[in-house]
Amino acid sequence: MAVAVLLLLAIGASPAQARNSASAASTAHVYLLRGVLNIFSLGLDDIAAQLRAQGIPVTVANFASWSSLADEAAAGYKSGRIKTIILVGHSSGATALPDMVAKLDQLGAPVTLAIGLDSVFRTKLSGRVGRYINFYIANGNGEPVAKTGQFQGKLENINVQNVPGVGHMSIEKNQIMQRKVISEIDAVVFGRSAPSSGAQRPRQPGAADAARSGTASAAVRQ
């Protein structure tokens, strides 16, 4: 009898869990920002397809649209349609992320997760964001992100130069990096555990070259 009761409870819990997951997915929104030319960030389309397959709404756009996308995300957040705002950017799209984070904070719509993929310009982070992960290639042109005194949240700069096949033009297409990005998003949306990021501190001007080596092996050894 006890076994039968437990089985019935398990069966009854499954539809509820499925509904909760579907609700979490439908009220999240991921904004994927391409770089200067849309033809060079097509790996973001692959990430978008995998997220949509999980029921997560996605917008893919050029980085130049970051301000209007922030307005759109803030409107959705204030209406209750969007509860979880997630940003991902590649190249110039990654460079635009701190500006988008700051504007969304000003509009009263904090970002839960932001992931930058190899910004080639030094950027400074302000505003509120639950977690900001900056994957950069230190032996290329990638740059860490610095935080200002107005920043609230957690910032991780992760050097991924040792990921096999990774480069500035391929980081968003690299399957290891795609899995890393999606696992971080799933951890936020569905409450799934994500692998440790292996974060390192951003290097400072004049720091030793050893700081560029980073901890990529720890970041991607999943």
Side-chain angles (χ1 to χ4, degrees):
M1 179 66 73
V3 172
V5 169
L6 289 173
L7 288 172
L8 288 172
L9 289 173
I11 293 171
S14 296
Q17 290 173 349
R19 286 194 298 271
N20 289 339
S21 294
S23 176
S26 65
T27 56
H29 201 111
V30 180
Y31 294 88
L32 296 154
L33 302 184
R34 294 193 180 107
V36 173
L37 297 175
N38 289 330
I39 59 173
F40 295 127
S41 299
L42 297 183
L44 296 182
D45 293 340
D46 297 331
I47 294 173
Q50 296 179 63
L51 295 174
R52 288 184 181 120
Q54 298 183 84
I56 302 174
V58 177
T59 297
V60 184
N62 186 266
F63 81 99
S65 303
W66 71 264
S67 184
S68 60
L69 290 175
D71 290 332
E72 176 186 307
Y77 183 83
K78 291 177 180 178
S79 72
R81 179 175 55 84
I82 299 175
K83 295 182 179 179
T84 305
I85 299 173
I86 299 171
L87 312 178
V88 180
H90 170 235
S91 189
S92 293
T95 302
L97 290 189
D99 289 331
M100 192 168 178
V101 166
K103 181 170 183 178
L104 281 165
D105 183 39
Q106 292 170 2
L107 294 173
V111 175
T112 302
L113 174 68
I115 301 176
L117 298 172
D118 209 40
S119 169
V120 296
F121 294 98
R122 286 185 177 272
T123 55
K124 293 183 179 180
L125 192 60
S126 60
R128 289 176 296 164
V129 57
R131 190 160 170 239
Y132 193 110
I133 307 172
N134 177 52
F135 293 112
Y136 70 104
I137 304 170
N139 61 357
N141 296 316
E143 294 285 351
V145 175
K147 57 184 177 181
T148 68
Q150 291 72 45
F151 173 67
Q152 298 178 45
K154 182 178 182 181
L155 169 63
E156 298 175 66
N157 281 294
I158 305 173
N159 175 14
V160 294
Q161 68 183 34
N162 293 329
V163 174
V166 77
H168 180 70
M169 302 304 295
S170 65
I171 186 170
E172 92 294 355
K173 302 176 187 69
N174 185 285
Q175 291 189 3
I176 295 173
M177 295 305 302
Q178 287 188 356
R179 287 195 297 270
K180 183 66 178 172
V181 169
I182 292 170
S183 71
E184 295 290 355
I185 293 172
D186 285 351
V188 168
V189 175
F190 301 113
R192 299 171 185 168
S193 60
S196 173
S197 296
Q200 66 179 61
R201 292 181 180 178
R203 64 179 188 273
Q204 300 298 323
D209 289 342
R212 297 176 65 88
S213 63
T215 55
S217 58
V220 299
R221 191 164 57 240
Q222 334 290 350

